[in-house]
Amino acid sequence: MRQAGRSLPEYRAARTGTGMLEACLTPELASELTLQPVRRHDVDAAIFFSDIVVPLRLAGVDVDIEPGVGPVLGRAVRTADDVAALRATGPLTDALLAPITQAVERTVAALGSTPLIGFAGAPFTLAAYLVEGRPSRDHLAARTLMHADPSTWQALTAWAADLTGAFLRAQVLAGASAAQLFDSWAGSLSLADYVAHVAPASTRALAHVTGLGVRTVHFGTGTSELLVAMRDIGADVIGVDYRLPLDEANRRLGGRTPLQGNIDPALLAAPWPVLEAHVRDVVARGAHAPGHVVNLGHGVPPETDPDVLTRVVALVHSIDSEV
């Protein structure tokens, strides 16, 4: 998962004195933080170390990540004039994207035959941060804007789609083998609102990597009721969080979509027999789908014992060899 190394002591040592966004935009450090979980856990792929709001920082938006809080903007984006000011910043150029390109190229060279998954936040989650100005539990301001001023909302999400699409495209062109769109806050939406006000922008974002020969993954939290719509934006693989069993997710998707997920992060701290039974159950349920990428049904909790993660990876590999 994204930021998979944050439970590692070597991660904390490397990040000492360095802010999150600074780490993401320092090629050598971003590469090292991407590689650490691969070295430690022997996973089958790496995921690029980044953050959802990195493209906003690259575009010149006043945003920072406050420890214990999350992304906080200098001012919220609430009006048509606010959105026009964002759009006036222009596209992400090769020069602006250079730290990302350099980090990916460096990582791909170090990984050898191990693939790298590119990462970007979906337009709705970017827009939600912009409108709210900081993390929110219900994203009420964002959901209000999409109905109260739909033209401004459409302009905002189209801008966010092109921003994050360019960010993802740069990673693929630099050597990433797959591309993941991560919609942290889509679970706050009804299906009707997602289809009408969010899906077009997500389709637009993924269009930036169409024709580049990579598979795309779409993941959201709390999105059990949105899986089909999330697939239909053009994603090849659907990530499922820990709330929905994979056999049920496969049924909802018509048995034709590969799945990613969905070990419950909370069980990483449970006694090993409990966790082992859960991992085996996840793998068994994932076998109903035409393909299954085993990972967590959300991010790695920072307090997780790294040895447990290594043991989980070994368990999954042993189950795969049994099959």
Side-chain angles (χ1 to χ4, degrees):
M1 291 298 293
R2 180 173 71 97
Q3 297 179 22
R6 62 185 176 182
S7 68
L8 301 179
E10 55 264 40
Y11 170 89
R12 290 188 289 272
R15 279 279 318 276
T16 299
T18 305
M20 178 63 181
L21 291 182
E22 183 184 351
C24 293
L25 293 172
T26 304
E28 298 81 5
L29 183 53
S31 177
E32 170 62 19
L33 296 175
T34 301
L35 294 167
Q36 285 178 351
V38 182
R39 299 192 197 108
R40 172 73 81 121
H41 303 308
D42 191 31
V43 289
D44 299 319
I47 186 159
F48 184 55
F49 180 86
S50 190
D51 189 87
I52 284 168
V53 299
V54 167
L56 298 180
R57 170 65 74 88
L58 291 175
V61 175
D62 180 9
V63 60
D64 204 355
I65 298 178
E66 294 187 7
V69 177
V72 176
L73 281 84
R75 64 188 300 268
V77 174
R78 299 282 177 89
T79 68
D81 287 344
D82 292 337
V83 175
L86 285 177
R87 294 171 68 88
T89 61
L92 289 183
T93 63
D94 290 345
L96 290 172
L97 287 162
I100 306 305
T101 300
Q102 292 167 16
V104 171
E105 290 174 343
R106 185 184 187 99
T107 304
V108 169
L111 284 170
S113 61
T114 301
L116 176 69
I117 303 171
F119 164 82
F124 173 74
T125 290
L126 278 178
Y129 278 126
L130 288 164
V131 176
E132 302 288 346
R134 60 193 301 111
S136 166
R137 286 186 294 181
D138 55 14
H139 312 288
L140 191 61
R143 292 189 291 118
T144 296
L145 181 64
M146 70 172 60
H147 292 282
D149 191 349
S151 61
T152 295
W153 175 259
Q154 192 278 330
L156 174 60
T157 53
W159 178 81
D162 289 338
L163 187 78
T164 204
F167 182 68
L168 199 57
R169 181 180 178 87
Q171 295 171 54
V172 173
L173 291 176
S177 298
Q180 175 162 272
L181 200 61
F182 201 101
D183 212 347
S184 301
W185 307 130
S188 66
L189 299 166
S190 68
L191 176 58
D193 279 352
Y194 181 86
V195 171
H197 300 289
V198 173
S202 292
T203 298
R204 181 168 177 155
L206 282 188
H208 284 259
V209 298
T210 299
L212 297 184
V214 297
R215 298 295 187 183
T216 55
V217 184
H218 197 11
F219 175 80
T221 57
T223 51
S224 298
E225 304 307 314
L226 309 180
L227 296 182
V228 172
M230 291 175 67
R231 188 265 315 279
D232 290 349
I233 69 162
D236 299 305
V237 180
I238 288 294
V240 182
D241 74 5
Y242 56 88
R243 295 170 176 87
L244 187 70
L246 292 182
D247 51 346
E248 172 60 15
N250 180 62
R251 186 194 67 79
R252 295 185 185 191
L253 289 161
R256 58 187 179 90
T257 303
L259 301 179
Q260 174 182 281
N262 66 344
I263 297 168
D264 187 342
L267 271 66
L268 294 174
W272 175 254
V274 175
L275 177 56
E276 179 181 5
H278 174 59
V279 171
R280 290 184 178 277
D281 181 66
V282 166
V283 174
R285 292 177 185 274
H288 292 266
H292 178 203
V293 180
V294 180
N295 72 356
L296 299 186
H298 203 200
V300 177
E303 64 276 11
T304 302
D305 180 351
D307 291 340
V308 170
L309 291 173
T310 303
R311 195 173 181 184
V312 166
V313 174
L315 173 61
V316 174
H317 285 163
S318 72
I319 295 171
D320 184 56
S321 65
E322 291 169 6
V323 175

